[in-house]
Amino acid sequence: MESGAYGAARAGGSFSLEDFVRRPETILRALSAVFGIIVFGCILTDGYVSKPKDLTIVCIFNENMDACHYGVGIGVLAFLGALGFLAVDVYFPNLSNVNTRKYIVLSDLGFAGLWTFLWFVGFCFLANQWASTSPNLYVFGGADNARAAIAFSFFSILSWVSLVVVRSSFMQS
């Protein structure tokens, strides 16, 4: 762990891409962004299907459109949030104001905590709806993508809670 105010040793230091890429929070943010892409990509690709004898489009998760909308919504917002905080991390060592650093770390910690909770809700919601889904609904495909969305929702919980742990260690420095 770096010494100094909220995880940055000194303001005005030179930027090293190699050091930046090796930092745990950078790796976790990249994983969180990729997991978000996988979840919303899987749902957008095969999450909406048409019923076998009808032309109406329904969500593959027990025909509950809210399940697909929730998965896509939190996936897109998690992706954007992870990229946003990744961009903030690039400029973080150049900030000399300790209060600004504190607010950035607190907002990052709060966002990661909120997204841990939202991914947990999403995982439970998608898994519950998938367990209630009739096999007739996914006879034409989509089952693998639905399972992948559920699995990566779970992996997202782990990546975001790891970000909470990493950022909370900065609060102690």
Side-chain angles (χ1 to χ4, degrees), residues 84-158:
F85 279 107
L86 195 61
V88 169
D89 281 347
V90 170
Y91 295 106
F92 189 77
N94 294 327
L95 298 173
S96 61
N97 189 340
V98 176
N99 283 331
T100 304
R101 287 184 182 197
K102 180 175 87 171
Y103 292 133
I104 289 172
V105 171
L106 284 174
S107 64
D108 185 15
L109 185 63
F111 187 83
L114 174 66
W115 241 251
T116 299
F117 173 73
L118 291 176
W119 277 119
F120 177 73
V121 170
F123 168 72
C124 293
F125 187 35
L126 293 177
N128 179 289
Q129 292 301 305
W130 183 247
S132 302
T133 300
S134 168
N136 297 347
L137 190 59
Y138 55 85
V139 71
F140 296 113
D144 291 338
N145 278 356
R147 290 184 194 108
I150 294 168
F152 281 95
S153 293
F154 179 77
F155 298 150
S156 292
I157 297 168
L158 300 176

Side-chain angles (χ1 to χ4, degrees), residues 31-45 71 75 79 119 145 148-153 155-156:
L31 278 175
S32 297
V34 169
F35 292 164
I37 289 172
I38 291 171
V39 170
F40 79 78
C42 286
I43 294 174
L44 286 178
T45 303
F79 171 71
W119 277 119
N145 278 356
I150 294 168
F152 281 95
S153 293
F155 298 150
S156 292

